[in-house]
Amino acid sequence: MRGIKPAPESALTFRNQVEALRPYLMRYASLTLRNREAAEDAVQETLLAALSAEASFAGRSNLRTWLTGILKHKCVDAVRRASRESPLPGEDADAAASDFDALFDQRGHWGSPPKPWEDPDGALHQKQFLQVLEACLAGLPARTAQVFMLREHAGFETAEICEKLEITSNHCWVLLYRARMALRMCLEKNWFAR
């Protein structure tokens, strides 16, 4: 065909390396956004941005790290868009508070202390543990999961999360607390109680 130049081999290699990281990027976006379609869109936008900015990738960082950085921003944009487009249903604060209050006695001490992990590093690396953790994350309310993933997985500071999601720092800390407690209960029930 006339007028169409084949892509240089280095561009094909870069494109192949980027495409090979798609499954990792999809897992990351799916956990962060909790919506398959939004995750697909964020990954597509990330891949397009990466391919169009190939010249700016100087190799000073790992390709996966560079792509994850781009994806973080795309996920935050998606969360911001979603919160503007349709408000999230409110969480029943009274029910959530009573669930968590049941974990403590009248003096504020644990009713039953958390069980110690036998080998946390080993458990973390087990594929089954990660599957249970992902299922527990999927069971969190949408806004609670978003705040938790932005803080713990994406590494954003509280002030950044509050700014991006347009929430107060108090609300952010309450959501983080709820997420951690719900994950603790879910993991104790579905992983550590085995």
Side-chain angles (χ1 to χ4, degrees), residues 112-181:
S112 62
K115 296 176 184 171
W117 288 14
E118 295 297 320
D119 179 13
D121 291 330
L124 182 64
H125 296 298
Q126 292 179 17
K127 186 176 182 179
Q128 293 172 334
F129 175 78
L130 293 175
Q131 290 171 340
V132 171
L133 178 61
E134 285 181 17
C136 290
L137 284 167
L140 292 176
R143 178 54 60 107
T144 304
Q146 287 172 340
V147 170
F148 181 81
M149 292 304 294
L150 287 172
R151 173 68 180 199
E152 303 300 336
H153 191 63
F156 285 99
E157 295 296 323
T158 305
E160 293 175 291
I161 296 169
C162 294
E163 180 184 325
K164 292 180 187 319
L165 298 181
E166 299 173 353
I167 60 175
T168 66
S169 61
N170 265 358
H171 190 209
C172 182
W173 285 109
V174 167
L175 292 175
L176 285 169
Y177 172 77
R178 289 179 181 173
R180 289 174 181 139
M181 295 305 293

Side-chain angles (χ1 to χ4, degrees), residues 1-177:
M1 295 179 85
R2 221 199 257 146
I4 299 177
K5 293 181 181 178
E9 191 169 324
S10 65
L12 290 175
T13 303
F14 181 78
R15 181 173 292 155
N16 291 342
Q17 290 173 346
V18 168
E19 188 61 36
L21 290 169
R22 177 189 273 283
Y24 163 76
L25 296 172
M26 260 318 284
R27 283 192 308 274
Y28 183 96
S30 294
L31 282 172
T32 303
L33 298 174
R34 298 173 41 93
N35 178 307
R36 181 116 179 115
E37 291 80 23
E40 276 284 346
D41 290 344
V43 169
Q44 285 290 9
E45 290 174 17
T46 299
L47 296 178
L48 287 172
L51 292 174
S52 65
E54 176 184 358
S56 69
F57 178 68
R60 288 187 299 262
S61 67
N62 183 300
L63 180 60
R64 178 173 157 161
T65 305
W66 185 64
L67 290 172
T68 304
I70 296 170
L71 182 58
K72 280 183 186 180
H73 294 288
K74 299 297 181 187
C75 288
V76 168
D77 291 343
V79 168
R80 191 179 297 139
R81 250 189 330 266
S83 67
R84 272 185 256 156
E85 291 172 2
S86 62
L88 295 170
E91 297 175 7
D92 182 6
D94 293 334
S98 67
D99 287 346
F100 294 124
D101 287 343
L103 296 172
F104 303 96
D105 64 19
Q106 291 178 345
R107 296 181 308 160
H109 295 105
W110 286 103
S112 62
K115 296 176 184 171
W117 288 14
E118 295 297 320
D119 179 13
D121 291 330
L124 182 64
H125 296 298
Q126 292 179 17
K127 186 176 182 179
Q128 293 172 334
F129 175 78
L130 293 175
Q131 290 171 340
V132 171
L133 178 61
E134 285 181 17
C136 290
L137 284 167
L140 292 176
R143 178 54 60 107
T144 304
Q146 287 172 340
V147 170
F148 181 81
M149 292 304 294
L150 287 172
R151 173 68 180 199
E152 303 300 336
H153 191 63
F156 285 99
E157 295 296 323
T158 305
E160 293 175 291
I161 296 169
C162 294
E163 180 184 325
K164 292 180 187 319
L165 298 181
E166 299 173 353
I167 60 175
T168 66
S169 61
N170 265 358
H171 190 209
C172 182
W173 285 109
V174 167
L175 292 175
L176 285 169
Y177 172 77

